[in-house]
Amino acid sequence: MEQTKEQLKQFLHRFFRKPDLQDDDDIFALGFVNSLFAMQLVMFIETELGIELENQDIHLDNFRSINAILNLIRTKQAV
């Protein structure tokens, strides 16, 4: 899971340019996310990490922070 976390952080840093982004920082509250980025994030998770997301997975709380995204990935991998 550590490798997945690093891949996710690298992806986010390409867009955010916030070097001290913490794992629990709310990326929506920080103003980093727009609808285009949200779709790019979903595509990254599906294509680069090989996680198939379903409509019920596309919920704001699943994408608020690095930790929230990792929890979603763990849940999907456990199925």
Side-chain angles (χ1 to χ4, degrees), residues 2-75:
E2 196 61 35
Q3 180 181 358
T4 301
K5 182 177 181 178
E6 284 307 310
Q7 287 177 282
L8 179 59
K9 282 186 168 189
Q10 287 177 8
F11 174 79
L12 294 175
H13 282 287
R14 287 189 298 201
F15 293 92
F16 297 166
R17 307 285 185 230
K18 184 176 189 262
D20 59 339
L21 182 67
Q22 300 299 307
D23 294 350
D24 286 319
D25 283 351
D26 186 330
I27 61 175
F28 290 91
L30 292 171
F32 292 137
V33 180
N34 59 34
S35 58
L36 177 60
F37 175 76
M39 291 311 300
Q40 289 174 310
L41 180 55
V42 168
M43 292 299 297
F44 169 79
I45 291 169
E46 290 188 330
T47 59
E48 297 296 320
L49 301 180
I51 305 296
E52 185 175 334
L53 298 176
E54 299 173 31
N55 287 341
Q56 66 264 22
D57 299 323
I58 312 298
H59 189 275
L60 186 68
D61 289 337
N62 287 334
F63 298 92
R64 279 198 185 280
S65 67
I66 292 170
N67 282 336
I69 297 166
L70 290 173
N71 286 335
L72 172 64
I73 292 168
R74 279 187 201 100
T75 300

